[in-house]
Amino acid sequence: MKNRSLKVIGGVAASLMLVVTSLSAEPVDDTLTVNEEMTLVTRTAAPAHLSDIMDEVISGWHFRGTETRAMQADDFDNPGMIFVEAGEDSWNTAEGSEGKSCADCHGDAADSMKGVRATYPKFSEAAGKVITVENQVNDCRENRMGAEKWKYAGGDMVNMTALIASVSRGMPVNVAIDGPAKETWELGKELYYTRTGQLELSCANCHEDNYGNMIRADHLSQGQINGFPVYRLKNTKLNSVHARFKGCVRDTRAETYSPGSPEFVALELYVASRGNGLSVEGPSVRN
Amino acid sequence: MAKGVKPRVKVPKKAAAGETITIKTLISHKMESGQRKDKEGNVIPRSIINRFTCEFNGETVVDITLEPAISTNPYFEFEAVVPESGEFVFTWYDDDGSVYDTAKKIAVN
């Protein structure tokens, strides 16, 4: 009798072990080639400022399932490209008191916007602070077109930033963290390591200490933002960086900063700098 | 007419005679099911693509009936055998009577 119950316990212990080991969610070894012609850098050596913390930076693409990864490898299958086309339509549409469209000044986005996504957020002499692509778009709308500003993380804005990201795909993220941007970068770094909310979690607790592990049913990635804006299968739309930050901070059960706030701009600069060297991927596809 | 509707298709430009090719199609459309309600509790009227067809040189390749449960931006991927050079014609029929079509030529060598 005693023997049998021992066996049962042994069996339970073995199956528990199995569950525990299957909970790891290591990045998948795979190569991202878009449209069979453009191979993106999705893993690379960590930038110098991170070298004490991690050896390698890895795009969130590696942490997703086979089907999700495949969707991003073909522009026809990538639902984010529908929004890029919508962004192109508004690129060519004249609006505001000046009767100008983006195209009237900037011509073809494929040429004029190439490389923009890779270097933003960056310090603007004119604004006297670090600005994001969204800030720049709204500055153009307000001051050059005489049009109303778009909502920071609204549909029109995210379509436009998707267009701007898409023409830089394959170029390495390379945001400046020194010079006039240093102060903002330091603030972003502080926010990254500050625990927030009732759960007292910082960005680092999940995305630095636990990437490759499961958080409930989801894989934790490094939280890289080289793929933004990202088409998420869970809400079937494009999501901007700041909307994602807001979601994460909310999940720690904290009051969040708002999209477009100086805090999120600083955090965006810092998180972007953690992905210096990875290819711009936006619009990417994630869960 | 529903807003922002735009058909897209992907067909290889060339094929060998008798080769089976893969065709991908997608139309951006909100596919409002008619089951949802707005903030005031009124039913949002149904507005979907209800039929999709593909023809090759006048011959039907597929003819599909779509139902309200199909999601936004319906995507179809199917295979076809191409016996000769010709043109694929794709047609989507909207609830509101609009018809959207697009065509792609393929060369058989």
Side-chain angles (χ1 to χ4, degrees), chain A residues 215-259:
Chain A
I215 181 164
R216 293 205 168 193
D218 201 7
H219 295 183
L220 277 176
S221 71
Q222 287 186 347
Q224 298 290 352
I225 57 171
N226 59 314
F228 276 83
V230 17
Y231 182 87
R232 297 192 73 190
L233 300 168
K234 70 176 269 185
N235 61 11
T236 64
K237 67 182 184 78
L238 283 180
N239 298 261
S240 67
V241 177
H242 288 204
R244 183 62 259 201
F245 285 165
K246 190 178 164 188
C248 263
V249 176
R250 180 206 58 212
D251 290 348
T252 71
R253 300 188 188 164
E255 290 280 340
T256 77
Y257 302 106
S258 46

Side-chain angles (χ1 to χ4, degrees), chain A residues 20-257:
Chain A
V20 170
T21 48
S22 69
L23 282 182
S24 127
E26 290 294 313
V28 182
D29 195 15
D30 197 356
T31 306
L32 175 55
T33 304
V34 176
N35 301 332
E36 294 172 5
E37 57 183 28
M38 185 189 352
T39 299
L40 304 188
V41 177
T42 50
R43 306 179 83 128
T44 190
H49 69 90
L50 273 186
S51 56
D52 292 344
I53 299 161
M54 51 178 70
D55 298 330
E56 192 185 27
V57 287
I58 308 166
S59 159
W61 183 79
H62 282 282
F63 294 86
R64 297 297 150 212
T66 313
E67 297 82 1
T68 312
R69 293 201 311 278
M71 280 174 99
Q72 200 186 319
D74 185 329
D75 280 354
F76 198 89
D77 295 338
N78 182 343
M81 296 310 286
I82 293 172
F83 299 90
V84 169
E85 285 182 24
E88 267 170 22
D89 289 344
S90 46
W91 178 267
N92 293 311
T93 306
E95 271 190 80
S97 58
E98 303 299 312
K100 280 198 242 177
S101 70
C102 305
D104 287 334
C105 290
H106 296 291
D108 189 353
D111 302 323
S112 61
M113 292 296 119
K114 196 172 166 61
V116 168
R117 176 71 268 174
T119 57
Y120 272 77
K122 75 171 174 193
F123 187 81
S124 154
E125 293 288 348
K129 60 179 183 180
V130 171
I131 61 165
T132 59
V133 173
E134 284 90 339
N135 294 146
Q136 185 58 58
V137 168
N138 265 343
D139 181 67
C140 273
R141 285 185 64 81
E142 208 176 17
N143 299 322
R144 313 248 174 218
M145 295 166 67
E148 266 190 41
K149 282 201 219 178
W150 276 330
K151 200 170 158 228
Y152 192 90
D156 290 323
M157 179 63 88
V158 79
N159 290 348
M160 183 58 70
T161 58
L163 168 66
I164 292 169
S166 71
V167 297
S168 294
R169 279 187 300 172
M171 300 174 74
V173 175
N174 185 21
V175 295
I177 63 173
D178 48 6
K182 189 162 176 31
E183 197 181 330
T184 309
W185 183 80
E186 295 286 358
L187 170 65
K189 184 175 181 181
E190 191 186 323
L191 287 165
Y192 190 89
Y193 287 102
T194 302
R195 288 169 181 264
T196 61
Q198 289 178 318
L199 297 183
E200 290 195 80
L201 289 169
S202 71
C203 307
N205 291 142
C206 285
H207 297 291
E208 183 175 291
D209 303 340
N210 279 299
Y211 69 86
N213 291 330
M214 302 290 282
I215 181 164
R216 293 205 168 193
D218 201 7
H219 295 183
L220 277 176
S221 71
Q222 287 186 347
Q224 298 290 352
I225 57 171
N226 59 314
F228 276 83
V230 17
Y231 182 87
R232 297 192 73 190
L233 300 168
K234 70 176 269 185
N235 61 11
T236 64
K237 67 182 184 78
L238 283 180
N239 298 261
S240 67
V241 177
H242 288 204
R244 183 62 259 201
F245 285 165
K246 190 178 164 188
C248 263
V249 176
R250 180 206 58 212
D251 290 348
T252 71
R253 300 188 188 164
E255 290 280 340
T256 77
Y257 302 106

Side-chain angles (χ1 to χ4, degrees), chain B residues 57-93:
Chain B
N57 293 348
E59 193 182 342
T60 299
V61 179
V62 289
D63 189 339
I64 295 164
T65 305
L66 283 80
E67 303 291 351
I70 293 174
S71 326
T72 309
N73 305 335
Y75 170 91
F76 291 110
E77 181 175 331
F78 52 91
E79 293 180 337
V81 179
V82 273
E84 70 219 3
S85 296
E87 190 174 53
F88 283 98
V89 178
F90 305 87
T91 316
W92 291 260
Y93 299 85

